[in-house]
Amino acid sequence: MPSSALSAPMASIGVPTEIKADELRVALTPDAVRELITQGLEVRVQSGAGQGAGINDEAYAKAGANIVNREEAWAAHLVVKVKEPQAEEFCFLRKDMVLFTYLHLAAYPDVGEALIASGTTAVGYETVQMEDGSLPLLAPMSEIAGRLAAQVGANLLERPHGGSGVLIGGCTGVRPARVIVLGAGTVGWNAARLAAGMDAEVMLLDRSPERLRKLESHRNGRLISVVSSRGLVERLVPTADLLIGAVLTPGGRAPTLVDEELVTQMKPRSVIVDVAIDQGGCVATSVETTHTHPTVTIHDVQHYAVGNMPGAVPFTSTEALVSVTLPYILGIAGRGLEEAVTERPELLSGLNIVNGAVCHPGVAKALDIPPRHPMACLR
């Protein structure tokens, strides 16, 4: 895409139907469409795109969207999605478009290769980062994924679902489940807080004493925060009834904190929920699963590693996602990517690939490609 195209407003916004397995979210709500229409923008919504989230075509049309087929949605100047393009969508990638979605290219290098080859400019929700290190477009999905992790883990511990038969909160005179949470970011904190709210014995591990200190005043129930180390992880993981992996490296691949040998030491029928799977996973034995087939059992331990966990609650997830992405969509479409980055500097870190060049250092490292400075790519 020529730099002039990146600096110009984008007349049309396309919303394709998500085709990733069991992905029912949609990138825009009718209320968001109405906001975009009032700014003089054309919005093309693929027919049926909102069905999984309980939104019909009529609601989009009433808000002013054009209901179109898949090809017409992908033909827009700015394409907004929820998840990374799937292999059968690679044919729609092209040089004169901007793609705005969750990319997680460290976990999906084939997507990165397709974006580079096509010359598509791709902006990843998950790498838009504020000066204080917060990730505003990832936060709501991380919050939902963390809460789901505790909820799903509690369910999988039940014997009919393949678990050890431990009630997560125990009962009078009987110990509760021990839940080990690796990482005290948004995912880990929400997982730990909800598990503690269900009366589990929770140990929240993080390498940052400052982060744990900040959370200390908000902890409740049987929740203990501990500064993490390799030795501590090796001692605690085998004691877990439920292990939740919640580590994050913005743009990069998640570090492997639990190796296969450590998994073999876990209790029979214990449960691992690896929320980091969309970045490759932080447990060596994790393999990506789907909502339809959510678990695999390895070394007598159930592994839940669904790559799009918030897709299980598409109504809540869609509303939460659009509430934070809409201002950025308005900026990119209404003023062009170059000006939008100037007005919202955090968008600069969201630039993963521009005109075939990899701009994010974490993505570049994961793809083993030298990075370019994003501003140099834009101009």
Side-chain angles (χ1 to χ4, degrees):
M1 180 187 294
S3 59
S4 58
L6 290 175
S7 61
M10 300 173 191
S12 57
I13 300 168
V15 183
T17 301
E18 300 294 327
I19 63 169
K20 183 166 184 167
D22 303 320
E23 182 52 73
L24 301 176
R25 290 172 288 180
V26 61
L28 289 178
T29 61
D31 285 346
V33 168
R34 186 176 179 185
E35 289 294 324
L36 294 164
I37 295 294
T38 60
Q39 299 301 311
L41 299 164
E42 177 199 356
V43 181
R44 308 174 185 176
V45 178
Q46 183 179 340
S47 180
Q51 186 174 354
I55 307 170
N56 57 35
D57 288 350
E58 183 181 354
Y60 284 115
K62 188 175 180 181
N66 295 320
I67 307 303
V68 299
N69 60 29
R70 181 168 71 163
E71 289 73 16
E72 291 170 311
W74 275 99
H77 297 97
L78 172 62
V79 173
V80 292
K81 293 181 80 277
V82 177
K83 295 301 291 180
E84 73 284 347
Q86 304 300 290
E88 66 182 83
E89 296 173 313
F90 290 172
C91 61
F92 297 117
L93 301 175
R94 63 185 197 281
K95 194 172 180 64
D96 64 336
M97 68 176 279
V98 173
L99 176 66
F100 195 27
T101 187
Y102 287 118
L103 291 168
H104 296 292
L105 297 181
Y108 307 114
D110 58 324
V111 179
E113 291 168 6
L115 291 168
I116 292 168
S118 67
T120 299
T121 292
V123 186
Y125 295 154
E126 74 278 6
T127 59
V128 174
Q129 191 165 15
M130 307 298 285
E131 282 189 13
D132 63 1
S134 61
L135 302 164
L137 305 189
L138 186 62
M141 296 303 100
S142 295
E143 184 178 342
I144 290 169
R147 296 182 184 194
L148 281 171
Q151 181 175 302
V152 165
N155 189 49
L156 290 175
L157 282 173
E158 296 174 11
R159 188 71 178 199
H161 296 137
S164 57
V166 174
L167 179 63
I168 192 167
C171 69
T172 303
V174 181
R175 73 166 186 86
R178 169 170 278 196
V179 179
I180 306 296
V181 181
L182 303 178
T186 303
V187 171
W189 171 241
N190 277 275
R193 196 160 60 101
L194 190 61
M198 291 189 281
D199 286 338
E201 176 191 311
V202 182
M203 301 195 75
L204 176 63
L205 278 63
D206 197 276
R207 296 184 68 88
S208 169
E210 292 77 15
R211 173 63 179 167
L212 295 176
R213 191 172 295 114
K214 186 180 295 185
L215 297 175
E216 187 69 18
S217 62
H218 302 289
R219 69 182 180 91
N220 64 306
R222 302 185 182 96
L223 197 164
I224 301 170
S225 60
V226 188
V227 177
S228 184
S229 66
R230 185 178 301 274
L232 185 65
V233 169
E234 291 174 351
R235 290 194 301 275
L236 288 181
V237 166
T239 72
D241 296 293
L242 169 61
L243 174 67
I244 297 175
V247 294
L248 172 68
T249 303
R253 188 175 178 85
T256 301
L257 301 184
V258 179
D259 61 22
E260 185 167 2
E261 173 60 27
L262 200 50
V263 173
T264 66
Q265 298 174 35
M266 293 183 68
K267 299 176 182 179
R269 295 180 178 266
S270 55
V271 173
I272 293 172
V273 177
D274 196 344
V275 188
I277 194 63
D278 57 8
Q279 289 184 287
C282 63
V283 178
T285 47
S286 293
V287 291
E288 187 169 356
T289 57
T290 66
H291 291 291
T292 302
H293 302 288
T295 63
V296 294
T297 300
I298 302 169
H299 300 309
D300 205 18
V301 176
Q302 282 200 90
H303 292 59
Y304 177 101
V306 174
N308 55 334
M309 286 181 66
V313 285
F315 175 80
T316 299
S317 297
T318 293
E319 292 284 345
L321 177 61
V322 176
S323 71
V324 293
T325 58
L326 181 58
Y328 294 92
I329 295 170
L330 278 165
I332 294 171
R335 290 180 289 283
L337 186 56
E338 188 174 328
E339 187 174 335
V341 166
T342 302
E343 291 186 357
R344 291 180 175 269
E346 67 271 20
L347 258 179
L348 200 62
S349 59
L351 301 181
N352 283 205
I353 297 173
V354 177
N355 292 329
V358 180
C359 301
H360 191 282
V363 173
K365 182 178 180 181
L367 298 180
D368 196 24
I369 295 174
R372 290 189 62 195
H373 192 282
M375 288 307 297
C377 297
L378 283 175
R379 293 171 178 167

